[in-house]
Amino acid sequence: MMQETPQPGYEEAFVDVVGARVRYLHAGSGRPMLLIHGLIGSSANWRNNIDALAQHASVYAIDLVNMGRSQRVGALDAGLRATAKRIVAVMDALHLAEATSSPTRTGEPSR
């Protein structure tokens, strides 16, 4: 008798940003939490954590460009600033910035 493999509690999707197709995993609801893998990694680094984190947040685990199942782009600038810009572009495409904004401005003294 064959046992069914349990399905993960997350969905896989793609978003097009800065000329590349970026893969991400999503689970949960509420305030967004963005999980970014380290060097030579992918969203798979988070597979054992997503379900637990999704009990408290809307979790997004991305594959950076040229990593995991995201699109490969030749001559990609892999520097810190360029990578940060691509991460911000993913956040914008998934509308994560609006979900985390608050009515108070940072840097203003509290009264």
Side-chain angles (χ1 to χ4, degrees):
M1 185 167 146
M2 193 176 212
Q3 289 185 331
E4 280 189 41
T5 303
Q7 294 297 313
Y10 52 82
E11 65 177 329
E12 175 185 34
F14 292 84
V15 63
D16 292 320
V17 293
V18 194
R21 192 165 188 234
V22 174
R23 175 185 181 245
Y24 67 93
L25 306 176
H26 176 254
S29 62
R31 276 189 81 115
M33 176 184 294
L34 181 63
L35 304 177
I36 305 169
H37 61 79
L39 184 64
I40 313 298
S42 72
S43 59
N45 293 107
W46 300 105
R47 69 184 171 276
N48 294 327
N49 306 96
I50 292 174
D51 289 339
L53 293 170
Q55 293 176 26
H56 308 284
S58 182
V59 179
Y60 294 85
I62 66 173
D63 287 346
L64 294 172
V65 177
N66 285 357
M67 301 289 190
R69 294 186 185 162
S70 285
Q71 183 177 349
R72 301 299 187 258
V73 176
L76 179 77
D77 180 354
L80 183 59
R81 287 181 192 208
T83 300
K85 286 181 181 180
R86 285 189 295 275
I87 291 169
V88 168
V90 169
M91 292 175 64
D92 289 344
L94 295 175
H95 307 288
L96 300 184
E98 294 97 12
T100 60
S101 64
S102 66
T104 60
R105 294 182 191 170
T106 57
E108 287 187 4
S110 57
R111 296 183 184 167

